Amino acid sequence: AQSVTQLGSHVSVSEGALVLLRCNYSSSVPPYLFWYVQYPNQGLQLLLKYTSAATLVKGINGFEAEFKKSETSFHLTKPSAHMSDAAEYFCAVRLFSGGYNKLIFGAGTRLAVHP
Amino acid sequence: DAGITQSPRHKVTETGTPVTLRCHQTENHRYMYWYRQDPGHGLRLIHYSYGVKDTDKGEVSDGYSVSRSKTEDFLLTLESATSSQTSVYFCAISAEQDIRTDTQYFGPGTRLTVL
């Protein structure tokens, strides 16, 4: 069965520092993976997704993620944090069951950015 | 932004009362989903719909029912609300099942408190 684990429920970085949010997956089939961001009091917005076309995926707002099969990881990075990046980030894996595709989400990582 | 609205946005109710949450979309997407978001659990799928009158259970469906009589509306009903159903509820929509184009778009959420 597919699942994802996000390491660290809270991450704090300084403005301008590297952002690294960790996600490891478990899947019996080649996975399709997603990162979503949730700003306060809003719904989720897709940052990027891995569909096996390329292992390094670039998303919106300067984020990118690298799929590493050997490490079963799909970590999210951004070279330089901005105050506006403060939000909660969710990793998700696509699950095919009951004839349809669904998303299985991790528990989320809350990113704080301080001056 | 995808045209998804949820109503009400906030609701406080008492244990044992019925509650209906509405999700309305203007995108004519075929697939609709209801999730609940709880700290430490990320988002968990309650029910989903793959067409008018076609629905199925997700991973946390106990105590919930859904209906979809029109493409644009997906209703989530708590027949007899319990305190464990206090949560933030999100609706999502998607047009396709093809991974290259399949993206779930989320509504703004409904915060439900059951006293």
Side-chain angles (χ1 to χ4, degrees):
Chain A
Q2 285 96 319
S3 66
V4 290
T5 301
Q6 292 184 242
L7 303 176
S9 58
H10 291 81
V11 171
S12 181
V13 300
S14 299
E15 191 173 21
L18 171 71
V19 175
L20 171 61
L21 305 183
R22 300 177 187 273
C23 174
N24 288 89
Y25 69 89
S26 173
S27 179
S28 56
V29 297
Y32 296 120
L33 297 158
F34 303 77
W35 275 101
Y36 279 85
V37 60
Q38 183 182 30
Y39 299 104
N41 299 312
Q42 295 187 24
L44 277 70
Q45 178 182 1
L46 181 68
L47 272 178
L48 49 83
K49 64 180 179 182
Y50 167 73
T51 61
S52 77
T55 56
L56 183 63
V57 183
K58 295 188 183 297
I60 61 172
N61 302 337
F63 284 93
E64 63 182 34
E66 186 172 9
F67 174 74
K68 292 186 177 181
K69 183 178 179 180
S70 62
E71 299 178 7
T72 61
S73 68
F74 189 57
H75 301 332
L76 182 70
T77 60
K78 182 174 181 178
S80 177
H82 192 273
M83 298 294 288
S84 61
D85 294 327
E88 190 157 21
Y89 293 80
F90 294 93
C91 182
V93 63
R94 197 180 195 219
L95 168 69
F96 182 79
S97 77
Y100 296 95
N101 293 310
K102 308 169 186 68
L103 288 179
I104 304 298
F105 286 87
T109 297
R110 187 170 297 278
L111 175 67
V113 183
H114 51 86
Chain B
D1 291 341
I4 310 170
T5 56
Q6 293 185 231
S7 58
R9 294 293 313 280
H10 301 271
K11 186 170 182 66
V12 179
T13 191
E14 293 187 351
T15 298
T17 60
V19 177
T20 295
L21 309 182
R22 181 185 184 227
C23 177
H24 179 77
Q25 60 146 327
T26 58
E27 306 296 322
N28 200 35
H29 282 2
R30 176 182 175 187
Y31 303 93
M32 298 185 75
Y33 312 81
W34 276 109
Y35 293 89
R36 60 177 291 173
Q37 182 181 23
D38 304 289
H41 291 278
L43 277 77
R44 292 178 291 175
L45 183 65
I46 305 171
H47 282 279
Y48 64 100
S49 170
Y50 45 94
V52 173
K53 299 190 188 308
D54 291 325
T55 65
D56 205 349
K57 297 178 180 180
E59 61 180 310
V60 290
S61 60
D62 287 349
Y64 302 95
S65 62
V66 291
S67 65
R68 191 170 178 200
S69 58
K70 299 184 290 185
T71 298
E72 57 266 35
D73 289 326
F74 193 31
L75 304 181
L76 177 70
T77 297
L78 292 66
E79 301 290 348
S80 177
T82 67
S83 58
S84 65
Q85 294 176 310
T86 292
S87 186
V88 181
Y89 291 85
F90 286 98
C91 174
I93 64 173
S94 68
E96 306 287 342
Q97 293 277 292
D98 185 328
I99 186 59
R100 292 165 295 180
T101 53
D102 177 23
T103 296
Q104 287 192 23
Y105 298 95
F106 284 78
T110 293
R111 184 173 297 274
L112 175 67
T113 302
V114 183
L115 301 176

